[in-house]
Amino acid sequence: MTITPQWKDELRARITLSTVINRTTKLQRAGREWKACCPFHDEKTPSFTVNDQKGFYHCFGCGAHGDVISWMTEQRGLSFIDACKELAAEAGMEVPAPDPVAAKRAEKRASLVDVTTEAQNWFVQNLKSSEGAEALAYLKGRGLSSATLREFGFGYAPESKQALPTALARFDEQMLVETGMRIETDDGTQYDRFRGRVMLPIQDARGRVIAFGGRILGKREGVAKYLNSPDTPLFDKGRNLYNLHRAAPASRQTGRVIVVEGYMDVVALAQAGFADAVAPMGTALTEMQLEMLWRMVEIPILCFDGDTAGQRAAIRAIDRALPLLSPTRSLSILTLPQGTDPDDLVSKHGPEHFSELLEQAQSLVEHIWRYEQNATPLETPEQKAHLRQRLIEWSFKIQDVELQKLYRREFLDRYYSFINPSKFGERRKFVDHGKINSESLSLLRQFIADGQREMLCKAVFAALARHPELINQFHSRLLKYNPRDEEVQFALDVFLDVGDSQIDGVALPEDALGQIALWSERVTLPFPFLKPNVPVEFVSRCLDEAISILVEKPNVDAELEKATNRFGETLSEADAIEQARLREIQDSLIARMREMRELAP
């Protein structure tokens, strides 16, 4: 076994950083952080901060930065292993036994970093040579200053397929393959991966060169415009963010991190004064990259191009992020104008304009709502009902129960405000911290009295109104019910809001309970569980069956309609059998509903 990143994360989680640092450096509380005069250099005004939530210390004066392990090694002078042992003893953890295989792998990684570092120096020298003149002119033409070229380490890879082995002759050629800079074919032939490209180093959180990105000069048929290193022992594109080693300290000053789509956008923003920008490596954001962002700030800003690809990237990122959300971890989304990217905006309109756009970034709930609202036409009741269903499905992806509930409420409030603004006001008045008013009772009374729409659903609502203590029991299953009738949807959401209030621990007032019971007694539907003085256990059993029918039957109806249409086109035996099977299930559900009308306790 070896000391893995997961083991170190567990160690950091169990140790309070400020407690360790405070043993040798006197800290003072400063809001959510701690501050002190920096122990790494002489100063009179405190510029050293400690953030327990993020698990890092940082000095804005000398740039010292690290976690609890680096504090023990850099300030206390311990070796890495001794630091881990001392902290593990304090945290009640066992230090993993040394793993010779892992040690050898770490040694190999270190030697591969030597290869990539020397390759980076060679690329930089090439850019300064006559061979790199075209590449340098291209970069200058994009408005990049000499300081930016030096800071980001721009270089040039010559056109030759065999330039690297000569330039890096002291390294074994297989090491060049393992770093991803050379390609080896099935027959053993090797050649340089990056040729005739402007080169940009990709660095890890410690600033070590672990991979490269290359941009082709000019246009070539069938050749990728941008090319990144493949995954190697040094580089995993899903576990790294471009420019993280520069953006992390910058974000601690701005309280912000901007995620853009490409590394040239990062460079352009940095030159314009936005040092806190990062980018994924040509793929959608991964869960690991999201975790890295949340260690820096609570709400990273995802900045996507205004084209279709940019919008798809935003939705993919949101889909990955929703299960990981918490009260202190979210996202905001900035969609740029159509046909523009950050590089275009800062070069044509200046950094002030981009700063204004950052202020207009949408919250996660707002972006999802706008996306779904514009996704399909909303002209028919079915299309509107489908919008509501999609919104609720988004909320289901959130694992935090409380947050899931709040997102669902927010989505439904926006839905009803959009679909029917006048009734939205009535719905908002229905549940106000558990209080139910007479207007809402009147609305539901009229709804239940109308026997022409979804009789079984109305019977369920009447039973829940009479026995509101059962709402919580069936709350999660009612969430899955998607009625087509708008009035039924409205009433269903009212009861779901009541259930939310119960889950929140907000009891319904006694007078409200009495009023609900009073009007529900007047409901005349042919279901025995609505009779007066029926045992609540019997009502619960009947509701269990009724809600099963309500949730199951719409799916069967939809599948039967599809099968019927399909049989009308094909007249095949298989489609006829499927149609008969679904009709049998539908008849069974209808029969179960009839039985419920005859059921007696």
Side-chain angles (χ1 to χ4, degrees):
M1 195 174 177
T2 188
I3 295 178
T4 64
Q6 292 78 14
W7 186 89
K8 289 188 286 186
D9 288 342
E10 176 68 16
L11 179 65
R12 296 185 190 105
R14 293 194 186 191
I15 296 290
T16 303
L17 178 60
S18 62
T19 301
V20 175
I21 294 179
N22 204 35
R23 292 168 187 162
T24 54
T25 301
K26 187 176 180 180
L27 299 175
Q28 294 180 332
R29 173 66 76 177
R32 298 195 310 176
E33 298 182 333
W34 300 84
K35 66 179 182 179
C37 289
C38 181
F40 295 99
H41 78 288
D42 294 330
E43 64 176 2
K44 295 181 180 180
T45 303
S47 61
F48 180 79
T49 62
V50 179
N51 189 309
D52 286 326
Q53 183 181 9
K54 297 174 182 176
F56 288 104
Y57 61 82
H58 182 76
C59 177
F60 294 102
C62 69
H65 174 78
D67 60 8
V68 68
I69 299 175
S70 57
W71 172 264
M72 301 293 281
T73 59
E74 296 175 13
Q75 205 277 334
R76 292 274 306 278
L78 299 178
S79 68
F80 174 77
I81 293 298
D82 288 340
C84 287
K85 287 180 179 178
E86 185 171 324
L87 292 170
E90 182 176 341
M93 295 173 61
E94 293 289 336
V95 178
D99 184 345
V101 175
K104 189 173 183 179
R105 190 183 302 121
E107 183 180 349
K108 182 178 181 180
R109 281 176 55 87
S111 62
L112 291 179
V113 168
D114 293 336
V115 178
T116 52
T117 300
E118 189 160 321
Q120 165 60 14
N121 294 334
W122 179 64
F123 289 140
V124 171
Q125 291 303 315
N126 289 338
L127 186 65
K128 299 176 182 177
S129 69
S130 58
E131 197 172 14
E134 182 185 355
L136 184 60
Y138 163 77
L139 293 170
K140 292 287 188 180
R142 292 195 63 157
L144 299 181
S145 67
S146 297
T148 298
L149 297 182
R150 286 194 303 271
E151 172 67 20
F152 284 88
F154 279 93
Y156 174 68
E159 190 64 50
S160 171
K161 288 187 174 183
Q162 303 299 331
L164 265 174
T166 302
L168 277 65
R170 74 185 185 93
F171 295 108
D172 184 82
E173 286 200 28
Q174 195 59 36
M175 296 179 73
L176 303 182
V177 174
E178 291 182 27
T179 57
M181 291 185 294
R182 296 267 287 174
I183 295 174
E184 185 172 32
T185 63
D186 292 340
D187 63 4
T189 303
Q190 295 182 4
Y191 59 92
D192 292 357
R193 179 181 300 274
F194 300 101
R195 304 182 307 281
R197 291 179 181 270
V198 171
M199 298 299 292
L200 198 60
I202 297 171
Q203 292 151 290
D204 65 10
R206 294 166 58 184
R208 300 177 302 175
V209 177
I210 57 174
F212 294 92
R215 203 260 189 215
I216 199 73
L217 290 174
K219 293 183 179 180
R220 299 187 189 180
E221 192 68 28
V223 178
K225 183 177 180 181
Y226 288 99
L227 180 65
N228 287 337
S229 293
D231 284 351
T232 69
L234 285 179
F235 177 58
D236 181 342
K237 58 180 172 288
R239 301 176 69 90
N240 289 277
L241 286 166
Y242 177 70
N243 199 46
L244 180 65
H245 66 296
R246 299 184 189 92
S251 72
R252 292 181 184 89
Q253 299 183 49
T254 62
R256 176 189 68 196
V257 62
I258 308 167
V259 185
V260 292
E261 292 189 56
Y263 41 68
M264 291 304 293
D265 291 324
V266 171
V267 174
L269 287 178
Q271 182 167 280
F274 301 92
D276 48 7
V278 298
M281 311 295 177
T283 61
L285 279 173
T286 65
E287 287 84 354
M288 177 58 69
Q289 289 169 332
L290 288 166
E291 293 286 353
M292 295 163 71
L293 293 169
W294 281 320
R295 288 175 190 170
M296 291 188 279
V297 297
E298 292 183 357
I299 308 179
I301 302 173
L302 305 190
C303 178
F304 293 99
D305 298 351
D307 56 14
T308 302
Q311 291 310 294
R312 284 199 301 266
I315 288 300
R316 286 197 301 269
I318 291 171
D319 193 56
R320 287 270 177 88
L322 283 177
L324 308 175
L325 295 188
S326 75
T328 58
R329 296 181 1 167
S330 188
L331 298 172
S332 61
I333 313 295
L334 172 60
T335 302
L336 300 180
Q338 182 73 27
T340 63
D341 57 31
D343 191 357
D344 297 328
L345 288 171
V346 295
S347 61
K348 294 178 182 178
H349 304 288
E352 295 81 8
H353 178 67
F354 189 73
S355 292
E356 293 172 359
L357 289 176
L358 289 174
E359 295 297 321
Q360 299 171 19
Q362 295 176 331
S363 67
L364 204 51
V365 70
E366 174 69 15
H367 188 84
I368 295 173
W369 161 249
R370 294 295 179 192
Y371 171 79
E372 291 295 356
Q373 184 185 13
N374 298 321
T376 60
L378 296 173
E379 299 171 357
T380 67
E382 290 81 6
Q383 290 169 341
K384 294 174 183 177
H386 192 211
L387 168 63
R388 177 185 177 276
Q389 181 181 356
R390 296 196 306 271
L391 292 170
I392 290 179
E393 286 173 354
W394 276 109
S395 69
F396 280 157
K397 296 181 181 184
I398 301 173
Q399 294 184 359
D400 184 290
V401 176
E402 180 64 23
L403 205 55
Q404 179 190 114
K405 181 173 54 182
L406 292 172
Y407 263 73
R408 185 183 63 78
R409 284 184 182 176
E410 184 70 24
F411 284 145
L412 290 178
D413 284 349
R414 289 169 185 263
Y415 170 80
Y416 281 110
S417 180
F418 172 72
I419 296 297
N420 198 331
S422 61
K423 288 188 177 179
F424 170 73
E426 294 178 348
R427 177 175 179 268
R428 289 301 297 264
K429 289 185 291 183
F430 186 92
V431 177
D432 179 13
H433 300 292
K435 296 180 181 179
I436 302 177
N437 60 35
S438 58
E439 293 180 43
S440 301
L441 290 174
S442 175
L443 174 69
L444 280 182
R445 185 182 302 116
Q446 293 172 12
F447 166 72
I448 295 292
D450 182 0
Q452 301 302 311
R453 300 195 197 105
E454 301 199 22
M455 183 181 294
L456 182 59
C457 181
K458 295 167 187 176
V460 168
F461 290 162
L464 290 175
R466 195 171 304 168
H467 301 279
E469 68 275 16
L470 296 177
I471 295 176
N472 191 8
Q473 177 181 338
F474 299 104
H475 184 269
S476 61
R477 293 168 64 189
L478 286 170
L479 276 171
K480 299 176 183 178
Y481 180 45
N482 187 42
R484 294 184 179 182
D485 187 282
E486 184 177 326
E487 291 290 336
V488 179
Q489 285 183 356
F490 182 90
L492 173 62
D493 289 329
V494 167
F495 278 99
L496 291 175
D497 275 346
V498 174
D500 283 339
S501 297
Q502 292 179 336
I503 294 172
D504 288 340
V506 181
L508 297 174
E510 287 298 326
D511 59 338
L513 295 177
Q515 291 180 65
I516 291 178
L518 182 62
W519 70 257
S520 65
E521 291 290 345
R522 300 170 184 167
V523 174
T524 55
L525 291 172
F527 293 93
F529 58 83
L530 294 179
K531 293 179 180 179
N533 304 319
V534 175
V536 69
E537 294 81 6
F538 172 72
V539 177
S540 176
R541 291 198 305 273
C542 291
L543 287 179
D544 181 68
E545 171 75 0
I547 292 172
S548 295
I549 294 172
L550 285 173
V551 174
E552 187 178 349
K553 190 172 181 298
N555 294 331
V556 174
D557 291 343
E559 290 300 316
L560 178 58
E561 183 179 356
K562 291 179 184 176
T564 302
N565 293 336
R566 195 163 53 245
F567 175 69
E569 295 173 0
T570 65
L571 297 178
S572 70
E573 182 179 357
D575 288 334
I577 293 173
E578 176 66 6
Q579 183 185 24
R581 184 186 71 84
L582 290 169
R583 183 169 288 116
E584 183 178 347
I585 296 174
Q586 185 188 58
D587 291 342
S588 173
L589 291 171
I590 295 172
R592 284 163 62 186
M593 181 176 167
R594 291 197 189 101
E595 289 173 3
M596 290 190 65
R597 299 188 194 181
E598 301 169 359
L599 194 63

